[in-house]
Amino acid sequence: MTLRGVFHALPPGVFGSRIRTRADLADFVAGRHAIAATAQLALADAGDALAALCGRLDLHDALGVQPLTIPGTTDARYLPARRLPALAERIDAVAPGALAKAISQRSPAAGDHPATDKGQLARQFLQLKRFMRDCATHQCEVLFARHGEGNGAPPA
């Protein structure tokens, strides 16, 4: 099954106040909630390759730190705004050479699919880098949700 991942930037202060229940979370990630994401980063194929790459770069928390159960998703994680500035700095500190080296060290045992396009993986990481920097600047919280094909995923 192809997984599609979407990073959602939540406006400051809405998580826990205006978005409280699993139903609220499900409506939010489906785009049906009154609160809209301030930004989104959709990954066409969010298999485990990006997570494995972040792990090799010692950025394990880049895909979120608190697991959530959201109806209509296969996996969801939350990243509070207070952690974003430090994470954005660590992501920004990844030099192009270190990124290339980490991409070349792919391991199928670590979740990397051997057919993963190295260029696409690098682009996804750079998009993630920009997204996290913008979220840190605007003090947003981040919700990462993975959707299976036809599993309530919002349009790309």
Side-chain angles (χ1 to χ4, degrees):
M1 168 177 30
T2 300
L3 293 176
R4 185 169 168 275
V6 181
F7 288 90
H8 302 271
L10 286 89
V14 300
F15 189 79
S17 62
R18 301 217 25 222
I19 297 178
R20 294 185 296 263
T21 67
R22 287 184 182 154
D24 287 341
L25 287 167
D27 287 344
F28 177 78
V29 297
R32 297 184 307 257
H33 196 276
I35 302 293
T38 56
Q40 287 185 337
L41 172 60
L43 304 175
D45 183 6
D48 292 326
L50 183 60
L53 174 63
C54 288
R56 285 191 299 278
L57 293 169
D58 198 26
L59 299 168
H60 301 283
D61 53 348
L63 301 184
V65 293
Q66 180 181 346
L68 299 173
T69 303
I70 301 174
T73 65
T74 58
D75 179 35
R77 295 186 174 273
Y78 168 71
L79 186 60
R82 63 183 164 73
R83 291 189 178 217
L84 284 174
L87 176 61
E89 283 181 26
R90 289 186 6 244
I91 291 174
D92 277 341
V94 174
L99 177 60
K101 182 178 178 183
I103 289 173
S104 68
Q105 294 174 343
R106 298 178 317 158
S107 164
D112 286 340
H113 191 276
T116 302
D117 178 358
K118 291 179 182 182
Q120 178 65 21
L121 188 56
R123 282 186 292 280
Q124 286 181 354
F125 182 80
L126 294 174
Q127 289 171 333
L128 178 64
K129 182 178 186 175
R130 182 178 21 208
F131 180 82
M132 290 297 182
R133 186 180 329 116
D134 291 346
C135 287
T137 300
H138 294 92
Q139 300 175 347
C140 296
E141 296 172 302
V142 175
L143 181 66
F144 175 66
R146 289 188 205 201
H147 306 272
E149 286 184 47
N151 194 15

